[in-house]
Amino acid sequence: MKLQVRYANHPDDSKHYTTEELRKHYLMERVFEEDEILLVYSHQDRIVSGGIMPVKKALPLETSDELRAKYFLERRELGIINIGGAGKVTLDGKVYDVKSKDGMYVGMGTVEVIFESVDPKNPAKFYISSCPAHTSYPTYYIDFEKANHRPCGEAKTLNKRVINQYIHPDVCKSCQLAMGMTELAEGSGWNTMPSHTHERRMEVYFYYNIPQDNVVFHMMGQPQETRHIVMNNEQLVISPSWSIHSGIGTSNYNFIWAMCGENQEFDDMDHIKTTDLK
């Protein structure tokens, strides 16, 4: 397992970051690597996110010195969404078949977590997010049909999309983790527009299904001091609670969002008029 660490910083500092510094502090450029676990540990609410891509061997999710835990989920909960081929997840000896676009919630206290692919020629790609937990809730398998599907946006404003809520109070119980996947319709490029912040929660965005030779411009920063990071396919970006988190792509795309913090109220947002952004 390869684990990067990113420290929290003040919004005033980000005003002065160069492009290189923005990318260094907020962007994880490589999320999937064959037979490897690539994670980033952010000091923004201590979320851990990243990719697990088993091809020729099974990959156990092990603890690290940064966690100072006997096992990874000793004090944590975990969300999983598979964006690749069919896979298997073993939790304390129980095997779950995880199809493409399906997800899982794994509660605190699960000792053994092992990831495998069914077909090495079409490997699973498990995107995960984990945050500290205060109690243990039951493991819950979330096939795509069980997710809470929320169509929103319009073609005329280039933001027609479906928000698929996987780990959400309407689907399953969790301590503080919320997680889901948004699919933009063909012809739409904007996500999360109009912009908002939520001081009570931070968020991580993972952009994928970006067609070749296309990019997403991820908008960040305080509403009166915005910045952007250019994102390629299968990259993630950390969004502090004080930052907007909108994106515009040169094509439609998908992204997985994960949130943790003070509450789980999905609609608890501080909305910002588009014309007030600077």
Side-chain angles (χ1 to χ4, degrees):
M1 183 173 76
K2 300 176 182 177
L3 180 68
Q4 304 177 26
V5 175
R6 305 291 176 85
Y7 289 97
N9 47 10
H10 195 279
D12 286 350
D13 299 329
S14 298
K15 294 179 183 181
H16 309 289
Y17 287 164
T18 64
T19 297
E20 182 180 352
E21 288 170 327
L22 282 173
R23 296 174 71 86
K24 174 184 175 183
H25 289 296
Y26 298 110
L27 177 67
M28 183 178 181
E29 294 190 81
R30 188 171 182 84
V31 174
F32 287 108
E33 182 179 311
E34 183 176 319
D35 287 325
E36 190 57 82
I37 298 176
L38 304 182
L39 303 176
V40 59
Y41 178 107
S42 172
H43 281 254
Q44 306 280 353
D45 284 306
R46 301 193 179 274
I47 195 168
V48 176
S49 296
I52 301 173
M53 185 179 174
V55 179
K56 299 174 183 176
K57 61 182 181 180
L59 298 175
L61 183 61
E62 299 174 333
T63 189
S64 68
D65 189 57
E66 288 79 7
L67 302 182
R68 293 292 173 93
K70 294 177 182 177
Y71 51 93
F72 193 92
L73 295 180
E74 182 182 12
R75 300 184 299 270
R76 289 180 159 268
E77 57 188 354
L78 175 70
I80 304 168
I81 297 178
N82 180 15
I83 68 165
K88 294 180 181 292
V89 176
T90 302
L91 304 176
D92 289 339
K94 184 175 180 178
V95 180
Y96 295 83
D97 295 314
V98 185
K99 305 186 301 296
S100 182
K101 295 180 73 173
D102 286 0
M104 295 187 70
Y105 169 78
V106 185
M108 181 184 73
T110 304
V111 178
E112 180 188 62
V113 185
I114 301 174
F115 297 86
E116 300 176 74
S117 289
V118 172
D119 181 3
K121 294 181 181 179
N122 183 26
K125 289 183 173 181
F126 298 102
Y127 181 77
I128 71 167
S129 281
S130 171
C131 60
H134 57 78
T135 192
S136 180
Y137 285 114
T139 291
Y140 192 78
Y141 187 90
I142 311 157
D143 61 45
F144 184 67
E145 288 73 25
K146 285 184 180 178
N148 190 27
H149 309 288
R150 292 180 55 172
C152 58
E154 298 180 88
K156 66 181 182 181
T157 49
L158 307 181
N159 65 351
K160 186 177 181 180
R161 62 201 189 276
V162 177
I163 301 173
N164 304 292
Q165 297 168 334
Y166 286 69
I167 300 173
H168 180 276
D170 291 339
V171 179
C172 67
K173 288 185 177 181
S174 66
C175 292
Q176 61 165 322
L177 180 65
M179 191 173 178
M181 179 262 287
T182 299
E183 301 172 290
L184 274 74
E186 185 175 354
S188 287
W190 277 110
N191 70 66
T192 323
M193 184 59 74
S195 294
H196 64 260
T197 60
H198 29 68
E199 285 283 355
R200 293 145 297 281
R201 295 186 306 281
M202 63 82 62
E203 196 158 4
V204 175
Y205 272 18
F206 168 70
Y207 290 97
Y208 73 105
N209 275 359
I210 301 174
Q212 188 175 2
D213 299 326
N214 284 265
V215 297
V216 172
F217 287 77
H218 178 81
M219 307 299 175
M220 64 160 296
Q222 292 180 297
Q224 304 302 307
E225 192 78 38
T226 60
R227 298 289 184 269
H228 74 266
I229 297 177
V230 178
M231 308 279 297
N232 292 315
N233 191 42
E234 296 187 354
Q235 294 183 340
L236 73 78
V237 62
I238 299 165
S239 178
S241 59
W242 47 261
S243 176
I244 66 167
H245 37 281
S246 296
I248 178 65
T250 56
S251 174
N252 60 316
Y253 52 90
N254 292 5
F255 68 97
I256 294 174
W257 43 268
M259 294 185 284
C260 64
E262 193 65 35
N263 66 28
Q264 293 179 309
E265 300 299 322
F266 188 82
D267 295 317
D268 179 14
M269 306 170 186
D270 302 314
H271 295 280
I272 302 153
K273 287 178 61 176
T274 304
T275 52
D276 288 339
L277 294 171
K278 293 182 180 178

